[in-house]
Amino acid sequence: MSPITTTPRVPRRRGRRGSSGAPAGQGFFASLTPYLFLAAAVGLLLLLTYLPAVNMLWYSFTDWDGLDLEKNVVWLDNYVQVFTNPQIFGVFFVSLYYFGGSFVQMAIALYFAALLSYRTRFSNFFRGVLFFPYLINGVAIGFVFLYLFQPGGSLDTVLGWFGLADPPQWLGDPAIANVSLAGTSVWRYTGLNFVLFLGAIQSIPGELYEAADIDGANKWQQFWALTFPGIRRIVGLSFVLAVAGSLSVFEIPFIMTGGANGTSTFVIQTLQTAFNFRQVGLASAMAIVLLAIVLLVTFVQRKIFPDEKVDLT
Amino acid sequence: MASRKAVAAAIAGAATAALLLTSCSGAPTGSDDGLDGEVTGEVTFVTWRTDLIEDGTFDTYAEEFHAKYPDATVKFEGITDYEGELRTRLSTTNYGDVLGIPNSVLPDQLADFFEPLGQTADLESTYRFLAPKSYEGVQYGIALGGNANGILYNKDVYEQAGVDTFPTTEKEWLAAAAKIKATGAIPLYTNYKDGWPLSQWSGNMGAITGDPDAVNKIAEEDAPWTEGGELYAIDSLIYESVAGGFTEADPLTTNWEQSKVDFATGKIATMALGSWAISQMQAAATDNGIDPSVVGYAAFPATASDGTQYAIVGGDYNLGINKHSKVKAAAKAWIDFLIEDSGFTDTQGMVSPLLSKDLPDNLAGFADAGVELLELNAAPAGKEALFNNIADAAQIDIWGNIYRQKLVDIARGAADGDKESYFAELNERWADARAAQG
């Protein structure tokens, strides 16, 4: 009984819905469904990312101070100032510390990912431990490390146990301050790299390792011949992220030093320009220039190191 | 018939009721008669004093206010990052009814955001500190309280170091600092990491020469960092103190809350802060079982050419009324209540904006030392925003901490340059910005 009654119901329902072409109606609405789902996400993206970005582009052509009700258009004056004022671009070399740090970060992440992809005792525990820093809020990390780096703080105490009696001022000494901050950044982001690498390593088929074992390859040879080529794309991606990230470092130096003592980065300087010096127009231009630089660097990088197809056979 | 009449009456009654209801519900929000309307409705007070909301002081005020004006109530909104948050909120219409006018609003922008409170000339006989929030003769804000500017010092530390009188020149200051350092205390704490305490030094502009027009004159100078100038005297004192090793060892890890305790317990000898800090330091002393009378307050160590020491008094945040407020009359009543009836300035140890009230006790030290109080003059008409515009264009934040942090870095050898080169650079940037302002 039931199969007979259900089958004719379907066309009837169709007919009720679409007043025009009945069968095409459901096809149309059905094909619309994915777009409706997308609309919410795209709508939010447009509203919260692209609209402000377009607004910022508009501000960058004005001399707006953030409060004035009218904005005077000055066209490219702000951009000219960004490129001619040595104070503005002078801070980019600070990014080199973080760029250098990102290599350390990737090396550590790769090391542990390779290690923990084998069956190790408590490997899940160690994976958790390594990923944990990435889950902590950046502000909290800033404060924790602020206490760690204090004179006579935790770091100095620990070093004291090993007989290092005269530690430097980790944040006060300008020669070390940026290294300390970059170190904090490494601590924070290693977990992310680690998880990416680990995921990639685990997607490499296990038979390849078995075959390598049978051929008598040691772990080191397996790493260079199998693991590393297998995750090259992820390493490449991490590299792009590292460059973009080190150009736009913000949270950690802002919270820990506020950009003082020669630790100011481009983003901190943009923020200061906008809010301390009330030059929102100029700051917007700086932000646009940073965006352009990141895009350019990424583009050049992809040209020099093209995304090769991974082939393990 | 009877029933028809009853229906008609019912309808009329309902209509009247509806009218009454709408007018009632409209009354608290819709009585936009400006400042002279009826004192009704709920006033939202956006405040920077989150501590007074937490400890219930403001609630007590609100109850008293409600007792005085039964139709009006006050609601509080405390903001920790007051300047930063208000700056973006001003672009909306929703920034409370009464609020402290953010410093980022320049005089020529006041009318865009705030309700005029009257002609400055009319208010002058009643209030102090009107100049900064007046534009073209119209007053937009009245200070909730005022402060003197100078140096906080720990009397015990000075006594132990054998310094009997507080220094009145840079030379004496450095000599005293050396003696204090010998006792093991930090002669001057900059609070470099928190930043904003470094901006407090600028409050002394005008005290060095004793000229109420000092700040306005700087806007007309190409080289304010020249010996004899206000900024030179202030920044030179900071520089020499840091270069002499008279400040904290690691400025990057200073801590404002801890510094209050350290000051009270004698680990720190001096800090440059407005007189608002006196009560906080006294509280810190009491909390640590120390007699609060240990907190001393002195004028900036400089003596004007007439042989007198001056200290600048100025208003703290000015209270203004949101131009878009629906309860302006009640908002004005709340401002008047806070200033005249609440006793706010007495409990906070601040200078009352009312000319009729005396100076607070904590400034008694000034009178003993023969320090004269000085209020800065307003900028001349048409140049109200000039000083700030030059500073912003030069990217020298006189009212901030960025350029002074650099100064401290140079003085302690953490950045390139020396006093002369940095002051020359500041002068050059100032002159360029001045030229660009036309």
Side-chain angles (χ1 to χ4, degrees):
Chain A
M1 191 63 192
S2 59
I4 302 167
T5 43
T6 44
T7 28
R9 235 180 230 166
V10 181
R12 218 191 290 155
R13 209 189 267 161
R14 268 184 201 159
R16 237 186 286 151
R17 213 186 262 175
S19 55
S20 52
Q26 189 177 17
F28 176 69
F29 279 108
S31 66
L32 211 60
T33 315
Y35 294 103
L36 287 174
F37 277 104
L38 265 180
V42 172
L44 284 174
L45 189 71
L46 287 175
L47 184 73
L48 300 175
T49 305
Y50 289 94
L51 185 69
V54 170
N55 248 335
M56 190 172 71
L57 190 64
W58 154 236
Y59 295 155
S60 73
F61 296 119
T62 69
D63 67 349
W64 195 40
D65 71 346
L67 273 176
D68 263 341
L69 296 184
E70 61 230 47
K71 306 171 180 75
N72 303 317
V73 179
V74 296
W75 297 114
L76 291 176
D77 276 12
N78 289 325
Y79 289 92
V80 171
Q81 209 186 329
V82 170
F83 288 106
T84 52
N85 189 342
Q87 276 182 50
I88 291 176
F89 263 100
V91 290
F92 261 125
F93 87 97
V94 172
S95 292
L96 291 177
Y97 287 96
Y98 296 90
F99 186 59
S102 65
F103 284 97
V104 177
Q105 176 184 319
M106 279 195 273
I108 297 172
L110 196 55
Y111 174 75
F112 282 109
L115 211 64
L116 291 175
S117 64
Y118 300 114
R119 278 168 202 271
T120 321
R121 205 172 285 206
F122 306 122
S123 80
N124 275 336
F125 170 74
F126 286 118
R127 286 174 194 183
V129 167
L130 281 164
F131 187 57
F132 179 65
Y134 185 66
L135 298 174
I136 308 175
N137 183 307
V139 180
I141 292 177
F143 280 113
V144 168
F145 274 81
L146 208 52
Y147 282 103
L148 184 87
F149 287 136
Q150 256 175 6
S154 332
L155 184 61
D156 289 356
T157 313
V158 172
L159 288 177
W161 295 340
F162 296 99
L164 235 142
D166 196 19
Q169 289 176 4
W170 298 106
L171 295 172
D173 186 342
I176 302 169
N178 276 313
V179 178
S180 304
L181 293 176
T184 310
S185 178
V186 168
W187 185 84
R188 180 172 183 208
Y189 288 106
T190 298
L192 178 69
N193 278 144
F194 166 75
V195 166
L196 289 176
F197 291 154
L198 190 70
I201 290 173
Q202 289 188 331
S203 70
I204 299 169
E207 300 90 62
L208 292 174
Y209 287 100
E210 281 169 31
D213 262 337
I214 294 166
D215 287 347
N218 63 25
K219 293 283 184 214
W220 191 240
Q221 286 165 331
Q222 285 179 19
F223 176 81
W224 280 115
L226 278 175
T227 314
F228 191 72
I231 62 165
R232 205 149 70 190
R233 295 179 84 162
I234 293 293
V235 174
L237 173 77
S238 301
F239 192 69
V240 171
L241 288 177
V243 173
S246 55
L247 284 173
S248 51
V249 186
F250 171 62
E251 277 178 340
I252 287 172
F254 186 73
I255 292 154
M256 293 178 65
T257 65
N261 199 21
T263 60
S264 187
T265 65
F266 195 72
V267 181
I268 292 181
Q269 202 170 38
T270 306
L271 196 81
Q272 288 177 345
T273 305
F275 298 114
N276 295 66
F277 304 122
R278 301 183 310 117
Q279 293 169 312
V280 174
L282 178 61
S284 301
M286 287 169 75
I288 299 276
V289 168
L290 179 66
L291 179 70
I293 291 174
V294 170
L295 288 178
L296 187 76
V297 167
T298 313
F299 175 76
V300 169
Q301 210 169 33
R302 302 305 271 173
K303 280 280 158 206
I304 297 175
F305 306 104
D307 193 5
E308 291 160 38
K309 264 223 146 91
V310 177
D311 191 5
L312 290 174
T313 49
Chain B
M1 273 304 268
S3 67
R4 238 168 139 190
K5 235 182 195 169
V7 170
I11 291 171
T16 329
L19 269 174
L20 279 172
L21 278 173
T22 43
S23 58
C24 270
S25 63
T29 49
S31 67
D32 190 7
D33 310 331
L35 301 180
D36 304 323
E38 273 180 61
V39 180
T40 51
E42 187 182 56
V43 178
T44 305
F45 180 33
V46 180
T47 177
W48 60 100
R49 290 302 297 266
T50 46
D51 54 328
L52 297 183
I53 294 180
E54 271 162 32
D55 70 9
T57 311
F58 276 157
D59 284 337
T60 326
Y61 293 169
E63 279 164 29
E64 288 168 24
F65 178 72
H66 185 57
K68 193 173 173 186
Y69 301 101
D71 293 335
T73 51
V74 184
K75 182 175 89 172
F76 299 99
E77 192 182 333
I79 298 179
T80 320
D81 175 21
Y82 190 77
E83 276 293 319
E85 207 166 303
L86 255 276
R87 197 181 292 121
T88 35
R89 260 178 78 172
L90 283 177
S91 62
T92 70
T93 57
N94 168 29
Y95 42 95
D97 298 306
V98 175
L99 66 156
I101 299 179
N103 295 322
S104 48
V105 182
L106 297 186
D108 53 353
Q109 297 168 329
L110 285 168
D112 294 341
F113 303 101
F114 299 100
E115 184 75 12
L117 300 177
Q119 297 294 314
T120 308
D122 300 340
L123 298 167
E124 261 168 3
S125 54
T126 320
Y127 298 105
R128 292 185 178 126
F129 316 131
L130 291 178
K133 299 297 176 233
S134 163
Y135 184 66
E136 291 181 338
V138 180
Q139 193 64 35
Y140 293 93
I142 296 172
L144 177 55
N147 295 304
N149 291 282
I151 312 273
L152 271 166
Y153 70 104
N154 185 313
K155 289 179 186 164
D156 282 356
V157 175
Y158 263 75
E159 205 173 297
Q160 275 166 26
V163 185
D164 302 326
T165 52
F166 196 83
T168 55
T169 62
E170 183 181 303
K171 213 172 152 192
E172 283 176 34
W173 164 268
L174 294 172
K179 284 185 191 166
I180 292 162
K181 197 182 180 185
T183 67
I186 301 171
L188 171 69
Y189 199 72
T190 61
N191 262 313
Y192 174 104
K193 163 69 177 67
D194 286 285
W196 62 264
L198 281 171
S199 70
Q200 297 272 310
W201 289 89
S202 299
N204 291 304
M205 271 194 293
I208 286 92
T209 53
D211 181 354
D213 277 313
V215 175
N216 301 332
K217 281 182 181 161
I218 291 173
E220 307 289 338
E221 281 170 26
D222 271 337
W225 282 270
T226 309
E227 203 155 0
E230 305 281 338
L231 284 164
Y232 182 93
I234 292 168
D235 287 337
S236 167
L237 189 81
I238 301 173
Y239 185 96
E240 297 299 343
S241 303
V242 177
F246 302 137
T247 50
E248 63 270 27
D250 186 357
L252 266 293
T253 49
T254 64
N255 180 331
W256 163 245
E257 290 300 327
Q258 181 61 37
S259 76
K260 292 198 267 187
V261 180
D262 289 348
F263 177 83
T265 53
K267 290 194 190 102
I268 294 169
T270 59
M271 286 197 245
L273 296 168
S275 62
W276 56 266
I278 299 175
S279 57
Q280 294 200 23
M281 294 298 166
Q282 286 171 338
T286 314
D287 291 347
N288 288 280
I290 293 163
D291 182 3
S293 69
V294 71
V295 181
Y297 200 65
F300 186 86
T303 309
S305 50
D306 60 3
T308 317
Q309 262 201 301
Y310 291 93
I312 302 297
V313 277
D316 198 23
Y317 271 117
N318 276 244
L319 297 178
I321 297 175
N322 181 350
K323 197 176 133 185
H324 308 280
S325 168
K326 298 259 169 39
V327 288
K328 284 172 188 161
K332 180 68 170 59
W334 169 245
I335 292 181
D336 290 342
F337 172 83
L338 268 181
I339 289 172
E340 284 159 24
D341 304 330
S342 71
F344 176 85
T345 48
D346 294 338
T347 49
Q348 300 299 317
M350 292 173 98
V351 182
S352 171
L354 294 170
L355 284 163
S356 54
K357 291 211 178 169
D358 294 331
L359 291 177
D361 299 338
N362 57 29
L363 294 181
F366 275 1
D368 299 345
V371 175
E372 277 194 37
L373 295 181
L374 196 68
E375 206 179 314
L376 290 178
N377 287 343
K383 294 186 171 173
E384 285 90 348
L386 183 63
F387 183 90
N388 287 316
N389 283 341
I390 296 173
D392 288 340
Q395 302 215 336
I396 301 172
D397 52 339
I398 304 279
W399 310 114
N401 51 280
I402 298 166
Y403 97 92
R404 284 222 171 92
Q405 283 181 329
K406 182 88 187 286
L407 178 78
V408 172
D409 285 342
I410 293 171
R412 68 197 180 90
D416 295 337
D418 55 24
K419 188 164 109 179
E420 280 70 33
S421 68
Y422 191 52
F423 282 7
E425 183 201 324
L426 290 171
N427 279 334
E428 193 190 321
R429 275 157 65 183
W430 189 267
D432 289 349
R434 235 176 70 73
Q437 289 294 314

